[in-house]
Amino acid sequence: MSPSASKSPRIFLITGCSTGIGASLAQEVIDRGDIAVATARKPSSLKFKDTTEQNFLPLPVDLYDRESIVAAFDAAVKAFGRVDAFINNADGTRKAMEVMRAQSPPGGAIMQVTSIGGLIGFPLMSMYSASKFAVEGLTEAIAQEVKPEWNIHFTCVEPGGFRTDFFHRSMTYTDQPHPAYDHVDLRATMKQMADVQMGDPAKGARAIYEAAVLSKPPSRLLLGTDAYNWYNSKLESWAGDAKENEHISLSTDVDAA
């Protein structure tokens, strides 16, 4: 977080505030005495407790319209002078970097909300995992490209299952499943996953807030017992595969090496 953040309220620009963790995070920011610039496709629907013109600015953002993201940053800077943390459920990383490296003093936290599905491929969710894996790779790469003096920190936030409407309003199901996959009951599988979600959105929001205000936020933040256990199981599996096939992996260098 920027040097000035400890002396005055931090400005959080949060995408996806109409429901779920985004909504909980906006309320968490306000409750902590900071400023929530909260975005949604319909900002008039955003209602939080204890808001004033000094701590809350609702703005329209459409994930399919990059200009709306740019406009949201411009409005936040115009209203409050800077952006200290960007909680990104959309593709606004480039604009966030432009704002954070140019403001005085420079710096900020970019929290990319991906998913445990950005680290582990789950059946029936291949396209979802592909998109989340891409954000993970993008973030890991650009985090190594920024100048240290910009003081911009990147975190991939990887939630497990949280009790939101992810498996309901946010997901579209096909009515014509491919006959080759008649062994899979998509709706039943998704319902089973929805029924066992462990995460509390308010607690997830609190964890994201606490990571964002650290002087050096973590590069990755797993949220939930399920995400933590799945990830560690994957690491063990990867290590086992690497060791078992070490002789193959090390056989491909040129002879001079």
Side-chain angles (χ1 to χ4, degrees):
M1 193 62 69
S2 64
S4 66
S6 61
K7 300 178 182 178
S8 59
R10 305 170 179 88
I11 296 89
F12 281 70
L13 198 162
I14 309 167
T15 62
C17 291
S18 58
T19 61
I21 293 177
S24 295
L25 180 57
Q27 188 64 65
E28 181 75 19
V29 168
I30 294 165
D31 291 346
R32 297 282 191 128
D34 289 327
I35 297 168
V37 179
T39 73
R41 279 178 291 183
K42 296 181 179 179
S44 60
S45 67
L46 300 178
K47 306 294 182 185
F48 302 103
K49 296 182 298 182
D50 302 321
T51 61
T52 68
E53 291 183 356
Q54 286 69 48
N55 68 7
F56 176 61
L57 177 63
L59 295 173
V61 163
D62 185 333
L63 305 187
Y64 296 102
D65 180 7
R66 184 178 183 277
E67 289 307 311
S68 70
I69 299 172
V70 171
F73 271 96
D74 291 344
V77 172
K78 181 178 180 180
F80 303 113
R82 61 183 296 117
V83 173
D84 292 301
F86 178 44
I87 314 302
N88 188 18
N89 290 309
D91 185 17
T93 304
R94 178 181 296 178
K95 181 62 176 179
M97 293 170 66
E98 291 174 359
V99 169
M100 289 178 176
R101 68 181 181 233
Q103 60 195 12
S104 181
I110 298 177
M111 312 294 285
Q112 309 275 50
V113 181
T114 67
S115 168
I116 187 61
L119 297 171
I120 300 171
F122 288 92
L124 307 180
M125 301 181 71
S126 55
M127 292 298 99
Y128 177 79
S129 279
S131 65
K132 295 301 186 181
F133 268 69
V135 175
E136 291 271 340
L138 169 75
T139 304
E140 187 172 303
I142 59 178
Q144 300 173 74
E145 297 171 357
V146 296
K147 291 182 178 180
E149 57 264 33
W150 293 347
N151 197 31
I152 300 173
H153 302 279
F154 296 83
T155 299
C156 283
V157 180
E158 294 131 350
F162 274 74
R163 295 185 181 182
T164 68
D165 62 356
F166 176 80
F167 287 102
H168 303 292
R169 183 184 66 84
S170 300
M171 187 170 289
T172 301
Y173 297 91
T174 179
D175 292 323
Q176 295 180 320
H178 195 287
Y181 290 86
D182 60 3
H183 61 290
V184 175
D185 190 331
L186 173 62
R187 291 181 183 273
T189 301
M190 294 295 104
K191 183 180 185 306
Q192 182 181 28
M193 294 177 68
D195 289 344
V196 298
Q197 293 181 106
M198 301 171 63
D200 180 332
K203 291 181 178 179
R206 189 176 308 131
I208 294 172
Y209 175 92
E210 291 177 354
V213 301
L214 293 173
S215 58
K216 292 184 178 180
S219 60
R220 284 189 165 84
L221 180 66
L222 294 159
L223 295 184
T225 303
D226 52 358
Y228 184 85
N229 290 338
W230 282 330
Y231 183 60
N232 280 285
S233 293
K234 178 169 182 174
L235 290 180
E236 292 177 7
S237 175
W238 272 3
D241 284 348
K243 190 64 178 178
E244 182 177 348
N245 298 286
E246 180 180 20
H247 62 291
I248 301 175
S249 300
L250 302 183
S251 70
T252 60
D253 296 343
V254 298
D255 291 340

